[in-house]
Amino acid sequence: MAGLIPQPFIDELIARSDIVDVIGSRLDLKKAGANYQALCPFHSEKTPSFTVSPSKQFYHCFGCGANGTALRFLMEYDRLEFPEAVEVLARQLGMEIPREARPREAHDSGDLYDALAEADKLYRNWLRRHPQRQRAIDYLRGRGLSGEIAADYGIGFAPPGWDNLLKSLEHLAGPLHKSGMLISRDNGGQYDRFRDRIMFPIRDRRGRVIAFGGRVLDNGEPKYLNSPETPVFHKGRELYGLHECLQAQRKPADILVVEGYMDVVALAQHDFRNAVATLGTATSTQHVERLFQTTTDVVFCFDGDRAGRQAAWRALESALPAMRDRRQARFLFLPDGEDPDSLVRHSRDAFVELLGDALPLSEFLFRELAGESDLKSMDGRARIAETAAPLIARIPPGVFRDLMIDELSSLAKVDRAHVEAVMAGDKPTTPAEKAPARPARVKTQRRTLIRVAVALLLERPTLAESALPPELVAQLSLPGADLLAEIIEILQQEPHLSSGALLERFRDSPHEAALWKLATWDHMTPSDGVEAEFVGAMEHLETLLARQRLQYLQGQLEKGNLTPEEHQEWLALLKAKGMSR
């Protein structure tokens, strides 16, 4: 749905919303000069570092780095998906989302949620009252579960028989069939998908039941059965137990990813309310991103055997694109024959100790690759460099990626230029071609013309009126020139955009993180000097453009390729520099 909401509507939504009202209805904001402050809701702190800017229409926490517009705040604080945040904000403002932006199956989806909610009530009721419930109760008690945990996770019971659900909810047969709870017979009619199973409702972040998982009560197959993919349920995106985890703590310090439903509820029984499980599928990057929206530390828990390590490696590969700064992924491997359920029941302390010893992603990656290579030999070091570099290339730019490059350079005993060339898919340079040594990393952003210009535009979008034409800026051979040109073009075409609306345009783009850094960067220009600073930056860029063009024309002249028009331009540029002959 997000892709169907017209951009002009999102712009207007942000322009008409007041971020102070939106956040102030949820946090205790205090006036602090031109801005407002509060204790950050996304990390623990005693002194307010969370700032809301009414003029720029965005918030920023100087403690944990959280930032965004009113939409982002609703997504993070109320735990909404982007389309849902748009709906909430539009409803508050009395705005109607354009009809073409609404999902075609919105009504059908509502019917599915209603039908699944009724099925959930029925399964839970059957666990309490059905004549054949005792086997299910004995099984749960045998696994050490209390009635409280069973209730918290909504565990239910699907009794034996082909059509218990169908008969009880016959009036909902259509949406139940569409949700995968009923299956069509070849000769007509329908029957229940889940029969004689312990039932685990799968909830989305808003707590709505979107699917079920069922654990068989005898030796039948499959042992675990999941709902199929539906308009409201996508296995590669949803996580069992995430809603319950967030009910227990809004911002958990870490989240443990385990293999199955029983592992999640067994850990909850022992006060580990921060466990989730994937739904019969490998961990995806979408899963990892969803977890990192909630915590900064994800711990993957696997068996220590070969299959477990292979699953862990797949999880690592999925996690790499999500490993932005301030995020941590770790890997916990269980002793042979143990699962989280059995281990925590045997010794809670032993499980806590294992959690503390979980391997950081970087250590797991290099340990696994080093085990496949002889680092004492040149061939082995070459192998680890060639294998690890493409993996590191999948990590977003930032401190973590830089440190991973440094570590690989050290292990393989090659310089950064070699590793970066392999990451880029280029042939590494020879010593004679080697580029100058890369300067040491600095903690603060270097003050370049492009960065200053972008930062000033983010602070005061109306400055775009005095900017160079975007097509000229795009010709500059400077890092970030294309981005600056894009921002200028957007603001010149739509001068009404606020800072927040402009930043919202770059949601989920490769530039999003960099732009937020610049939006909150101290560019060291006083407010009364912002316009003069921006005009000066444009003049400097114009001078650089002239020099760049002169260099090109000089090259053409030396090759004898200069046209008469270009010759006149060359003379004019020389004269402008005071270099005419």
Side-chain angles (χ1 to χ4, degrees):
M1 177 179 170
L4 297 175
I5 301 175
Q7 187 62 53
F9 178 80
I10 296 172
D11 293 340
E12 185 182 359
L13 190 66
I14 293 174
R16 289 176 58 179
S17 65
D18 184 341
I19 194 168
V20 175
D21 287 344
V22 173
I23 297 180
S25 65
R26 293 160 173 82
L27 302 182
D28 183 18
L29 291 178
K30 304 290 186 185
K31 195 83 164 65
N35 299 323
Y36 291 81
Q37 285 187 332
L39 291 174
C40 180
F42 306 120
H43 81 288
S44 298
E45 62 177 8
K46 294 182 179 178
T47 304
S49 58
F50 183 86
T51 301
V52 181
S53 170
S55 61
K56 298 176 184 177
Q57 286 295 301
F58 66 71
Y59 64 88
H60 177 72
C61 177
F62 292 92
C64 68
N67 49 44
T69 62
L71 283 174
R72 172 68 71 181
F73 184 82
L74 289 175
M75 290 171 66
E76 296 294 331
Y77 189 84
D78 290 358
R79 306 198 185 286
L80 305 175
E81 297 296 328
F82 179 74
E84 296 166 340
V86 169
E87 289 174 8
V88 168
L89 200 54
R91 190 163 55 246
Q92 289 177 358
L93 295 170
M95 296 173 65
E96 185 174 349
I97 299 176
R99 192 169 299 277
E100 65 271 20
R102 298 182 182 180
R104 295 176 211 163
E105 300 184 354
H107 178 70
D108 292 343
S109 294
D111 288 346
L112 292 186
Y113 289 127
D114 292 342
L116 289 164
E118 290 301 312
D120 178 47
K121 290 178 188 175
L122 201 57
Y123 288 138
R124 284 188 281 123
N125 186 56
W126 279 336
L127 182 62
R128 294 193 301 270
R129 296 188 174 86
H130 196 278
Q132 294 174 282
R133 71 187 186 281
Q134 196 57 48
R135 288 167 58 243
I137 291 172
D138 290 345
Y139 173 82
L140 294 172
R141 284 177 178 166
R143 297 297 294 265
L145 293 190
S146 65
E148 179 188 358
I149 291 297
D152 286 351
Y153 283 82
I155 296 174
F157 169 57
W162 289 96
D163 55 5
N164 291 293
L165 185 69
L166 176 60
K167 284 181 177 177
S168 300
L169 299 176
E170 192 169 1
H171 62 292
L172 296 174
L176 284 173
H177 180 265
K178 191 165 187 178
S179 68
M181 301 301 291
L182 301 177
I183 299 174
S184 296
R185 298 179 186 274
D186 292 339
N187 59 353
Q190 296 173 320
Y191 63 95
D192 297 352
R193 176 179 296 273
F194 296 100
R195 305 175 305 280
D196 199 20
R197 289 179 180 268
I198 301 286
M199 297 300 294
F200 299 88
I202 300 163
R203 298 181 173 115
D204 62 14
R205 285 172 51 148
R206 294 172 64 180
R208 298 175 297 187
V209 177
I210 54 175
F212 287 89
R215 204 274 184 201
V216 73
L217 279 170
D218 53 27
N219 295 321
E221 293 293 336
K223 184 177 179 180
Y224 283 96
L225 179 66
N226 293 319
S227 292
E229 296 264 324
T230 70
V232 300
F233 175 55
H234 306 281
K235 294 178 185 178
R237 194 167 66 204
E238 302 296 341
L239 291 150
Y240 175 72
L242 183 58
H243 170 72
E244 290 78 6
C245 168
L246 298 178
Q247 289 295 103
Q249 42 189 328
R250 173 170 287 278
K251 196 73 176 177
D254 54 22
I255 291 182
L256 184 61
V257 183
V258 294
E259 289 193 57
Y261 306 106
M262 282 307 305
D263 291 326
V264 172
V265 295
L267 286 170
Q269 183 66 55
H270 292 270
D271 294 327
F272 292 96
R273 295 277 188 143
N274 60 335
V276 301
T278 55
L279 301 161
T281 184
T283 305
S284 69
T285 301
Q286 277 187 304
H287 285 140
V288 181
E289 284 286 4
R290 176 156 289 196
L291 290 169
F292 278 132
Q293 289 173 5
T294 301
T295 186
T296 56
D297 188 2
V298 176
V299 184
F300 297 99
C301 181
F302 295 97
D303 293 340
D305 58 14
R306 181 178 178 81
R309 288 195 168 266
Q310 288 176 342
W313 187 258
R314 290 194 295 271
L316 177 145
E317 291 181 317
S318 295
L320 291 172
M323 293 304 298
R324 293 189 284 279
D325 293 346
R326 296 191 299 274
R327 293 177 171 184
Q328 177 176 245
R330 295 184 288 147
F331 294 81
L332 183 162
F333 294 98
L334 300 172
D336 288 345
E338 298 278 14
D339 57 28
D341 180 9
S342 64
L343 187 60
V344 77
R345 279 197 288 167
H346 178 259
S347 172
R348 190 180 192 280
D349 291 342
F351 188 72
V352 171
E353 187 176 346
L354 275 176
L355 274 175
D357 292 337
L359 291 175
L361 179 146
S362 55
E363 189 173 339
F364 176 48
L365 184 149
F366 288 121
R367 181 180 292 187
E368 289 293 300
L369 295 183
E372 299 172 358
S373 307
D374 177 10
L375 298 185
K376 294 179 181 178
S377 70
M378 292 178 62
D379 289 348
R381 293 196 298 273
R383 180 178 179 182
I384 195 172
E386 300 295 323
T387 306
L391 293 170
I392 295 173
R394 299 173 64 184
I395 300 172
V399 174
F400 180 66
R401 174 165 153 156
D402 277 354
L403 292 174
M404 292 288 281
I405 295 171
D406 287 344
E407 180 65 18
L408 180 56
S409 300
S410 175
L411 275 176
K413 297 184 180 178
V414 296
D415 58 24
R416 284 185 63 103
H418 179 100
V419 174
E420 289 171 335
V422 177
M423 287 169 59
D426 298 332
K427 180 181 176 182
T429 57
T430 64
E433 300 168 326
K434 195 178 298 182
R438 178 173 171 151
R441 290 186 303 275
V442 293
K443 293 183 179 178
T444 56
Q445 296 210 58
R446 196 158 55 90
R447 200 172 190 273
T448 66
L449 272 174
I450 298 292
R451 283 195 180 119
V452 169
V454 171
L456 296 176
L457 282 171
L458 289 171
E459 178 177 329
R460 198 174 297 177
T462 53
L463 290 173
E465 297 173 5
S466 350
L468 292 173
E471 61 272 17
L472 288 182
V473 175
Q475 294 173 19
L476 283 161
S477 300
L478 292 174
D482 287 345
L483 176 58
L484 175 60
E486 185 178 356
I487 291 172
I488 292 171
E489 184 174 13
I490 290 171
L491 291 175
Q492 288 184 346
Q493 291 177 354
E494 301 172 73
H496 62 282
L497 290 184
S498 66
S499 301
L502 176 60
L503 286 160
E504 195 66 46
R505 286 291 184 94
F506 290 89
R507 169 187 298 280
D508 297 330
S509 85
H511 304 300
E512 181 180 17
L515 286 176
W516 275 110
K517 283 182 181 178
L518 290 175
T520 55
W521 178 46
D522 181 6
H523 48 67
M524 299 180 291
T525 304
S527 58
D528 58 356
V530 164
E531 186 172 355
E533 180 80 6
F534 183 78
V535 170
M538 290 296 106
E539 290 173 351
H540 199 155
L541 290 177
E542 194 169 18
T543 301
L544 291 178
L545 271 170
R547 289 178 186 169
Q548 187 176 296
R549 181 63 177 168
L550 184 59
Q551 265 186 327
Y552 168 78
L553 294 174
Q554 189 74 37
Q556 293 296 98
L557 178 66
E558 291 169 1
K559 294 176 186 176
N561 294 335
L562 215 58
T563 66
E565 293 80 7
E566 288 176 335
H567 189 270
Q568 290 300 315
E569 184 184 0
W570 174 69
L571 289 174
L573 287 171
L574 284 176
K575 185 176 182 182
K577 288 192 68 177
M579 296 169 55
S580 61
R581 299 177 181 179

